[in-house]
Amino acid sequence: MARTHGRDVQVGHETAKNVSSCHVFKYRWVHGNLLGGTKHMTCAKIGNWPTLAVVGFLAGAGAANASPGHGEDANIGQTGDISHIDREIEVELGEMYFDPDDFEIEKGETVKFVLTNVGRVVHEFAIATDDMHDAHANEMRAMMKGGMMTTRRLDHDKMRSQGMMHTDANARLLEPGEATELVWTFSGDAEDILIACNVPGHRAGGMEASIVFTGDHS
């Protein structure tokens, strides 16, 4: 149940905590379940009861699209099948860089990015268009302001309670020393895709990497 204007509204099988009535929330649907993420949940009234409309940074675990208001819809690809990986790339995240910082990718290629945060602060690895990065940066600032993350650590309990678990298929958020993977199929038609860290101040400090499409994957 989600609480809006002090009243409960059924939203899937999860509970959403609203910190200010009818303001923006971030959620994402995965296999029919509502999880914390970066979808915008806004309120609208039907009769005397508020209901919820959900749009988002990602369309879910499948094809990813920019949400309305983020510019033109942009299909950036989808979560890759781990049984059909074409290539593995190791990436280090540090202050304020990715290594490597440019990637040549074929359209339709499935890449497993093996990510390690070798820095001393929290970093993000996110695949998106420029407009999507800009919108997501606002969400990251809200997470920082709300105490869900600091420069050095993530408060998962607070992120969960606020419904902002950063579980988007196209992004990973890593604490210092943490390692993880992201498998992505570059099957979308968007051309202006890049990798960036949207932790406040990091992209402005130069933490982004280019993606160049070199042709179609055979």
Side-chain angles (χ1 to χ4, degrees), residues 87-105 111-119 123-127 170 172-175 177-184 186 194-197 206-211:
R87 185 157 50 117
E88 180 177 304
I89 302 176
E90 295 184 358
V91 184
E92 291 186 347
L93 291 70
E95 286 84 54
M96 299 291 171
Y97 68 87
F98 295 102
D99 183 18
D101 63 1
D102 61 273
F103 301 88
E104 292 187 350
I105 305 290
V111 179
K112 179 169 79 171
F113 295 97
V114 181
L115 311 172
T116 304
N117 184 353
V118 299
H123 289 300
E124 181 192 46
F125 180 97
I127 303 168
N170 65 325
R172 298 289 184 269
L173 190 59
L174 294 81
E175 291 184 330
E178 188 176 3
T180 189
E181 298 175 352
L182 190 158
V183 179
W184 195 255
F186 290 86
L194 66 151
I195 293 165
C197 174
M207 196 167 180
E208 62 180 31
S210 64
I211 293 177

Coordinates of all heavy atoms in Angstrom, one line a residue, residues 87-105 111-119 123-127 170 172-175 177-184 186 194-197 206-211:
R87 N 31.3 -10.5 -25.1 CA 32.5 -9.9 -24.7 C 32.5 -9.5 -23.2 O 31.4 -9.1 -22.7 CB 32.9 -8.7 -25.5 CG 34.2 -8.0 -25.3 CD 34.7 -7.3 -26.6 NE 33.7 -6.4 -27.1 CZ 33.8 -5.0 -27.1 NH1 35.0 -4.5 -26.6 NH2 32.9 -4.2 -27.6
E88 N 33.6 -9.5 -22.5 CA 33.7 -9.1 -21.1 C 34.7 -8.0 -21.1 O 35.8 -8.1 -21.6 CB 34.1 -10.2 -20.2 CG 34.3 -9.9 -18.8 CD 34.6 -11.1 -17.9 OE1 33.9 -12.1 -17.9 OE2 35.7 -11.0 -17.2
I89 N 34.3 -6.9 -20.4 CA 35.2 -5.7 -20.2 C 35.3 -5.4 -18.8 O 34.3 -5.2 -18.1 CB 34.7 -4.5 -21.0 CG1 34.5 -4.8 -22.5 CG2 35.6 -3.3 -20.8 CD1 33.9 -3.7 -23.3
E90 N 36.6 -5.3 -18.3 CA 36.8 -4.9 -16.9 C 36.9 -3.4 -16.8 O 37.6 -2.8 -17.7 CB 38.1 -5.6 -16.4 CG 38.0 -7.1 -16.3 CD 39.2 -7.7 -15.6 OE1 40.2 -6.9 -15.3 OE2 39.2 -8.9 -15.5
V91 N 36.2 -2.8 -15.9 CA 36.2 -1.3 -15.8 C 36.5 -0.9 -14.3 O 35.9 -1.5 -13.4 CB 34.9 -0.7 -16.2 CG1 34.9 0.8 -16.1 CG2 34.5 -1.2 -17.6
E92 N 37.5 0.0 -14.1 CA 37.7 0.5 -12.8 C 37.1 1.9 -12.7 O 37.2 2.7 -13.6 CB 39.3 0.6 -12.6 CG 39.9 -0.7 -12.4 CD 41.4 -0.6 -12.0 OE1 41.9 0.5 -12.1 OE2 42.0 -1.6 -11.6
L93 N 36.5 2.2 -11.5 CA 35.9 3.5 -11.2 C 36.8 4.1 -10.1 O 37.0 3.5 -9.1 CB 34.5 3.3 -10.8 CG 33.4 2.8 -11.7 CD1 33.6 1.4 -12.1 CD2 32.0 3.0 -11.1
G94 N 37.2 5.3 -10.4 CA 38.0 6.0 -9.4 C 37.7 7.5 -9.4 O 36.7 7.9 -10.0
E95 N 38.5 8.3 -8.7 CA 38.2 9.8 -8.6 C 38.9 10.5 -9.7 O 40.1 10.6 -9.7 CB 38.6 10.3 -7.3 CG 37.7 9.9 -6.1 CD 38.0 8.5 -5.5 OE1 39.2 8.3 -5.2 OE2 37.1 7.7 -5.5
M96 N 38.3 11.2 -10.6 CA 37.0 11.1 -11.2 C 37.1 10.5 -12.6 O 37.1 11.2 -13.6 CB 36.3 12.4 -11.2 CG 36.1 13.1 -9.9 SD 34.8 12.2 -9.0 CE 34.9 13.0 -7.4
Y97 N 37.2 9.2 -12.7 CA 37.5 8.6 -14.0 C 36.9 7.2 -14.1 O 36.5 6.5 -13.1 CB 39.0 8.5 -14.2 CG 39.7 7.5 -13.3 CD1 39.8 6.2 -13.6 CD2 40.2 8.0 -12.0 CE1 40.4 5.3 -12.7 CE2 40.8 7.1 -11.2 CZ 41.0 5.8 -11.5 OH 41.6 4.9 -10.7
F98 N 36.7 6.7 -15.3 CA 36.5 5.3 -15.7 C 37.8 4.9 -16.4 O 38.3 5.6 -17.2 CB 35.3 5.1 -16.6 CG 34.0 5.5 -16.0 CD1 33.4 6.7 -16.3 CD2 33.4 4.6 -15.1 CE1 32.2 7.0 -15.7 CE2 32.1 4.9 -14.6 CZ 31.5 6.2 -14.9
D99 N 38.2 3.7 -16.2 CA 39.3 3.1 -16.9 C 38.9 1.7 -17.4 O 38.8 0.8 -16.6 CB 40.6 3.0 -16.0 CG 41.8 2.5 -16.8 OD1 41.8 2.5 -18.1 OD2 42.7 2.0 -16.1
P100 N 38.7 1.5 -18.7 CA 38.9 2.5 -19.8 C 37.8 3.6 -19.8 O 36.8 3.4 -19.2 CB 38.8 1.6 -21.1 CG 38.0 0.5 -20.7 CD 38.3 0.2 -19.2
D101 N 38.1 4.6 -20.6 CA 37.1 5.7 -20.7 C 36.5 5.9 -22.1 O 35.8 6.9 -22.3 CB 37.7 7.0 -20.2 CG 38.8 7.5 -21.0 OD1 39.2 6.8 -22.0 OD2 39.4 8.6 -20.7
D102 N 36.7 4.9 -22.9 CA 36.0 4.9 -24.2 C 35.8 3.5 -24.6 O 36.7 2.6 -24.4 CB 36.8 5.7 -25.3 CG 38.2 5.1 -25.5 OD1 39.1 5.5 -24.8 OD2 38.3 4.2 -26.4
F103 N 34.7 3.2 -25.2 CA 34.3 1.8 -25.6 C 33.8 1.8 -27.0 O 32.9 2.6 -27.4 CB 33.1 1.4 -24.6 CG 33.5 1.4 -23.2 CD1 33.3 2.5 -22.4 CD2 34.1 0.3 -22.6 CE1 33.7 2.6 -21.1 CE2 34.4 0.3 -21.2 CZ 34.2 1.4 -20.5
E104 N 34.3 0.9 -27.8 CA 33.8 0.6 -29.1 C 32.9 -0.6 -29.0 O 33.3 -1.7 -28.6 CB 35.0 0.3 -30.1 CG 35.8 1.6 -30.3 CD 36.9 1.3 -31.4 OE1 37.0 0.2 -31.9 OE2 37.5 2.3 -31.8
I105 N 31.6 -0.4 -29.4 CA 30.6 -1.4 -29.3 C 29.9 -1.6 -30.6 O 29.7 -0.7 -31.4 CB 29.5 -0.9 -28.2 CG1 30.2 -0.6 -26.9 CG2 28.5 -2.0 -28.0 CD1 30.7 -1.7 -26.1
V111 N 27.5 -7.2 -23.8 CA 28.7 -7.0 -23.1 C 28.5 -7.2 -21.6 O 27.6 -6.7 -21.0 CB 29.3 -5.6 -23.4 CG1 30.6 -5.4 -22.6 CG2 29.5 -5.4 -24.9
K112 N 29.4 -7.9 -21.0 CA 29.5 -8.0 -19.5 C 30.5 -7.1 -19.0 O 31.7 -7.2 -19.3 CB 29.7 -9.4 -19.0 CG 29.8 -9.5 -17.5 CD 29.8 -10.9 -17.0 CE 31.1 -11.6 -17.0 NZ 31.2 -12.9 -16.3
F113 N 30.1 -6.0 -18.3 CA 31.0 -5.1 -17.7 C 31.3 -5.6 -16.3 O 30.4 -5.7 -15.4 CB 30.4 -3.7 -17.6 CG 30.2 -3.1 -19.0 CD1 28.9 -3.1 -19.6 CD2 31.2 -2.4 -19.6 CE1 28.7 -2.5 -20.8 CE2 31.0 -1.8 -20.9 CZ 29.7 -1.9 -21.5
V114 N 32.6 -5.8 -16.0 CA 33.0 -6.2 -14.6 C 33.5 -5.0 -14.0 O 34.6 -4.4 -14.3 CB 34.1 -7.3 -14.7 CG1 34.5 -7.7 -13.3 CG2 33.6 -8.5 -15.5
L115 N 32.8 -4.5 -13.0 CA 33.1 -3.2 -12.4 C 33.7 -3.3 -11.0 O 33.3 -4.0 -10.2 CB 31.7 -2.4 -12.3 CG 30.9 -2.4 -13.5 CD1 29.5 -1.8 -13.2 CD2 31.5 -1.6 -14.7
T116 N 34.7 -2.4 -10.8 CA 35.4 -2.4 -9.5 C 35.6 -0.9 -9.1 O 36.1 -0.1 -9.9 CB 36.7 -3.1 -9.5 OG1 36.6 -4.4 -9.9 CG2 37.3 -3.0 -8.1
N117 N 35.1 -0.5 -7.9 CA 35.3 0.8 -7.4 C 36.6 0.8 -6.7 O 36.7 0.3 -5.5 CB 34.2 1.3 -6.5 CG 34.3 2.7 -6.0 OD1 35.3 3.4 -6.3 ND2 33.3 3.2 -5.3
V118 N 37.7 1.4 -7.3 CA 39.0 1.4 -6.7 C 39.2 2.7 -6.0 O 40.3 3.0 -5.4 CB 40.1 1.2 -7.8 CG1 39.9 -0.1 -8.4 CG2 40.1 2.3 -8.8
G119 N 38.2 3.6 -6.0 CA 38.3 4.9 -5.3 C 38.0 4.9 -3.8 O 37.8 3.8 -3.2
H123 N 30.8 5.6 -6.3 CA 30.7 5.9 -7.7 C 29.6 5.1 -8.3 O 29.2 4.1 -7.9 CB 32.0 5.6 -8.4 CG 33.1 6.5 -8.0 ND1 33.1 7.9 -8.3 CD2 34.4 6.3 -7.4 CE1 34.2 8.4 -7.8 NE2 35.0 7.5 -7.3
E124 N 29.2 5.6 -9.5 CA 28.1 5.0 -10.3 C 28.6 4.7 -11.7 O 29.4 5.5 -12.3 CB 26.9 5.9 -10.4 CG 25.7 5.3 -11.1 CD 24.6 6.3 -11.4 OE1 25.0 7.4 -11.9 OE2 23.4 6.0 -11.2
F125 N 28.1 3.6 -12.3 CA 28.3 3.2 -13.7 C 27.0 3.2 -14.3 O 26.2 2.3 -14.0 CB 29.1 1.9 -13.8 CG 29.4 1.4 -15.2 CD1 30.6 1.7 -15.8 CD2 28.4 0.7 -15.9 CE1 30.9 1.2 -17.1 CE2 28.7 0.3 -17.2 CZ 29.9 0.5 -17.8
A126 N 26.6 4.1 -15.2 CA 25.3 4.2 -15.7 C 25.4 4.3 -17.2 O 26.1 5.2 -17.7 CB 24.5 5.3 -15.1
I127 N 24.6 3.5 -18.0 CA 24.5 3.6 -19.4 C 23.2 4.3 -19.8 O 22.1 3.9 -19.4 CB 24.5 2.2 -20.1 CG1 25.8 1.4 -19.6 CG2 24.4 2.3 -21.6 CD1 25.7 -0.1 -20.0
N170 N 20.2 -0.6 -16.0 CA 21.3 0.0 -16.8 C 22.3 0.7 -15.9 O 23.2 1.4 -16.5 CB 20.8 1.0 -17.8 CG 20.1 2.2 -17.1 OD1 19.5 2.0 -16.1 ND2 20.2 3.4 -17.7
R172 N 24.8 0.7 -12.0 CA 25.3 0.1 -10.7 C 25.9 1.2 -9.9 O 26.6 2.1 -10.4 CB 26.3 -1.0 -11.0 CG 25.8 -2.1 -11.8 CD 24.8 -3.0 -11.0 NE 24.4 -4.2 -11.8 CZ 23.4 -4.3 -12.6 NH1 22.6 -3.2 -12.8 NH2 23.1 -5.4 -13.2
L173 N 25.6 1.2 -8.6 CA 26.1 2.1 -7.6 C 27.0 1.4 -6.6 O 26.5 0.5 -6.0 CB 24.9 2.8 -6.9 CG 25.2 4.0 -6.0 CD1 25.9 5.2 -6.8 CD2 23.9 4.5 -5.4
L174 N 28.2 1.8 -6.5 CA 29.2 1.0 -5.8 C 29.9 1.8 -4.7 O 30.3 2.9 -4.9 CB 30.3 0.5 -6.7 CG 30.0 -0.5 -7.8 CD1 29.4 0.2 -9.0 CD2 31.2 -1.3 -8.2
E175 N 30.0 1.2 -3.5 CA 30.7 1.8 -2.4 C 32.2 1.6 -2.7 O 32.6 0.7 -3.5 CB 30.3 1.2 -1.1 CG 28.9 1.6 -0.6 CD 28.6 1.0 0.7 OE1 29.1 -0.1 1.1 OE2 27.8 1.6 1.5
G177 N 35.7 0.0 -2.9 CA 36.2 -1.3 -2.8 C 35.2 -2.4 -3.3 O 35.5 -3.6 -3.4
E178 N 34.0 -2.0 -3.6 CA 32.9 -2.9 -4.0 C 33.1 -3.3 -5.5 O 33.6 -2.5 -6.3 CB 31.6 -2.3 -3.8 CG 30.4 -3.3 -4.1 CD 29.1 -2.7 -3.8 OE1 29.0 -1.5 -3.4 OE2 28.1 -3.4 -3.9
A179 N 32.8 -4.5 -5.9 CA 32.8 -5.0 -7.2 C 31.5 -5.6 -7.6 O 30.8 -6.2 -6.8 CB 33.9 -6.0 -7.4
T180 N 31.1 -5.5 -8.9 CA 29.8 -6.0 -9.3 C 29.9 -6.2 -10.8 O 30.9 -5.9 -11.5 CB 28.6 -5.1 -8.9 OG1 27.4 -5.8 -9.2 CG2 28.6 -3.8 -9.7
E181 N 28.8 -6.6 -11.5 CA 28.8 -6.8 -12.9 C 27.5 -6.2 -13.5 O 26.5 -6.0 -12.8 CB 28.8 -8.3 -13.3 CG 30.0 -9.0 -12.8 CD 29.9 -10.5 -13.1 OE1 28.8 -11.0 -13.5 OE2 31.0 -11.2 -12.9
L182 N 27.6 -5.8 -14.7 CA 26.4 -5.3 -15.5 C 26.5 -5.9 -16.9 O 27.5 -5.8 -17.6 CB 26.4 -3.8 -15.5 CG 25.1 -3.1 -16.1 CD1 25.0 -1.7 -15.6 CD2 25.0 -3.1 -17.6
V183 N 25.4 -6.7 -17.2 CA 25.4 -7.3 -18.6 C 24.3 -6.6 -19.4 O 23.2 -6.5 -19.0 CB 25.0 -8.8 -18.5 CG1 24.9 -9.4 -19.9 CG2 26.0 -9.6 -17.6
W184 N 24.8 -6.0 -20.5 CA 23.9 -5.2 -21.3 C 24.0 -5.5 -22.8 O 25.1 -5.8 -23.3 CB 24.3 -3.7 -21.1 CG 23.3 -2.7 -21.6 CD1 23.3 -2.0 -22.8 CD2 22.0 -2.4 -21.0 NE1 22.1 -1.3 -22.9 CE2 21.3 -1.5 -21.8 CE3 21.4 -2.9 -19.8 CZ2 20.1 -1.0 -21.4 CZ3 20.2 -2.4 -19.5 CH2 19.5 -1.4 -20.3
F186 N 23.3 -4.0 -26.4 CA 23.1 -2.7 -27.0 C 22.3 -2.8 -28.3 O 22.7 -2.7 -29.4 CB 24.5 -2.1 -27.4 CG 25.3 -1.7 -26.2 CD1 26.1 -2.7 -25.5 CD2 25.2 -0.4 -25.7 CE1 26.8 -2.3 -24.4 CE2 26.0 -0.1 -24.6 CZ 26.7 -1.0 -23.9
L194 N 26.1 7.3 -23.6 CA 27.4 7.4 -22.9 C 27.3 6.8 -21.5 O 26.2 6.5 -21.0 CB 27.9 8.8 -22.9 CG 27.1 9.8 -22.0 CD1 28.0 10.9 -21.5 CD2 26.0 10.4 -22.8
I195 N 28.4 6.6 -20.9 CA 28.5 6.1 -19.6 C 28.9 7.2 -18.7 O 29.8 8.0 -19.0 CB 29.5 4.9 -19.5 CG1 29.0 3.7 -20.3 CG2 29.8 4.5 -18.0 CD1 30.1 2.7 -20.5
A196 N 28.3 7.3 -17.5 CA 28.6 8.4 -16.6 C 28.3 8.0 -15.2 O 27.6 7.1 -14.9 CB 27.8 9.7 -17.0
C197 N 29.0 8.8 -14.3 CA 28.7 8.6 -12.8 C 27.9 9.9 -12.4 O 28.3 11.0 -12.6 CB 30.0 8.6 -12.0 SG 29.8 8.6 -10.2
G206 N 34.3 15.3 -14.6 CA 34.9 14.6 -15.8 C 34.6 13.1 -15.8 O 35.2 12.4 -16.6
M207 N 33.8 12.6 -14.9 CA 33.6 11.1 -14.8 C 32.5 10.7 -15.8 O 31.4 10.4 -15.4 CB 33.3 10.7 -13.3 CG 33.4 9.2 -13.1 SD 33.4 8.8 -11.4 CE 33.6 7.0 -11.5
E208 N 32.9 10.5 -17.0 CA 32.1 10.0 -18.0 C 33.0 9.3 -19.1 O 34.2 9.5 -19.1 CB 31.2 11.0 -18.7 CG 31.9 12.1 -19.4 CD 31.0 13.1 -20.1 OE1 29.9 13.3 -19.5 OE2 31.3 13.7 -21.1
A209 N 32.4 8.4 -19.8 CA 33.1 7.6 -20.8 C 32.3 7.5 -22.1 O 31.0 7.5 -22.0 CB 33.4 6.2 -20.3
S210 N 32.9 7.5 -23.2 CA 32.2 7.5 -24.5 C 32.0 6.1 -25.0 O 32.7 5.2 -24.7 CB 33.1 8.3 -25.5 OG 34.3 7.6 -25.8
I211 N 30.9 6.0 -25.7 CA 30.5 4.8 -26.5 C 30.5 5.1 -27.9 O 29.7 6.0 -28.3 CB 29.2 4.2 -26.0 CG1 29.3 3.7 -24.5 CG2 28.8 3.0 -26.9 CD1 28.0 3.2 -23.9

